[in-house]
Amino acid sequence: MTITAAHVPAIVALIAGILILLMPRLLNFIVAIYLIFVGLVGLGVFKMFHL
């Protein structure tokens, strides 16, 4: 299975959801990191690194 740019937000959301269930206090940090990451992916910042 190859991971494309379309799969990255889904994988990050799944990991964030699991971490929130395990440690609810991390919710603010996880949401902030997720939103920053999705924003960078949406802007195509990671394309220059060929990820």
Side-chain angles (χ1 to χ4, degrees), residues 29-50:
F29 295 109
I30 292 171
V31 170
I33 291 168
Y34 174 75
L35 291 173
I36 292 168
F37 184 77
V38 170
L40 292 174
V41 169
L43 290 173
V45 172
F46 294 113
K47 287 183 182 178
M48 72 177 80
F49 298 114
H50 303 291

Side-chain angles (χ1 to χ4, degrees), residues 3-18:
I3 297 175
T4 62
H7 292 116
V8 173
I11 293 169
V12 172
L14 183 62
I15 293 170
I18 291 169

Side-chain angles (χ1 to χ4, degrees), residues 2 27 36 44 49 51:
T2 58
L27 178 62
I36 292 168
F49 298 114
L51 295 177

